[in-house]
Amino acid sequence: MSNSSMNMRGKIVFYEERNFQGRSYECMNDCSDMTSYLSKCHSCRVESGCFMVYDRSNYMGNQYFMRRGEYADYQSMMGMRDCIKSCRMIPMHRGQYRMKIYERENFGGQSYELMDDCDNIMERYRMNDCMSCHVMDGHWLMYEQPSFRGHMMYLRPGEYRSVRDMGMSGQKFMSMKRIMDSCY
């Protein structure tokens, strides 16, 4: 595999201890259970690409977006209580971005189509909440607060009949951002 092809795939290295110490595990794709490779994970280095990391196995729990860089003690930087248990590589997307958001579950209530970032659905569309959506093109991050703050959730192309059933119960989603290919 050529060097440029490898960079397009993404690469993240996890370390058991803070400051890139202890045993390490290199990952170039999705990993549903990190505990198979490391007993704990307290720092990481994203060498290329973008990743979502999760504090529970099987891509569940709190999610954090990571782009190229070093995270010597990401727990204190991101407020994580636990170590990374799973990760998902975000594939590079070139082309348009389209997502339709719905006020209610099962694609009910008012709806709007987005093709760019939305920092506040209440101000832009007069929607109090987004409870379901359909991602047609691109990869997106949804945030619980306006201006891309608070807990986030990664969405890839597909239908999401109930955002709350995806392990984020009790949270509202008030802003959405495209994951641009500048991560690579």
Side-chain angles (χ1 to χ4, degrees), residues 124-136:
R124 189 184 218 178
Y125 301 117
R126 300 291 180 243
M127 274 177 78
N128 290 325
D129 197 2
C130 170
M131 297 180 74
S132 59
C133 66
H134 179 197
V135 176
M136 283 90 69

Side-chain angles (χ1 to χ4, degrees), residues 11-59:
K11 180 179 175 183
I12 188 169
V13 182
F14 298 99
Y15 298 86
E16 283 187 325
E17 303 298 333
R18 289 169 177 79
N19 298 314
F20 318 110
Q21 301 297 308
R23 291 183 350 166
S24 66
Y25 169 65
E26 264 184 31
C27 188
M28 294 175 61
N29 49 30
D30 297 352
C31 179
S32 64
D33 188 5
M34 296 281 299
T35 59
S36 305
Y37 306 102
L38 299 173
S39 60
K40 58 186 175 178
C41 175
H42 291 291
S43 60
C44 65
R45 181 178 285 127
V46 179
E47 295 185 5
S48 60
C50 297
F51 289 83
M52 287 305 290
V53 297
Y54 303 80
D55 64 2
R56 291 177 37 206
S57 297
N58 298 314
Y59 321 111

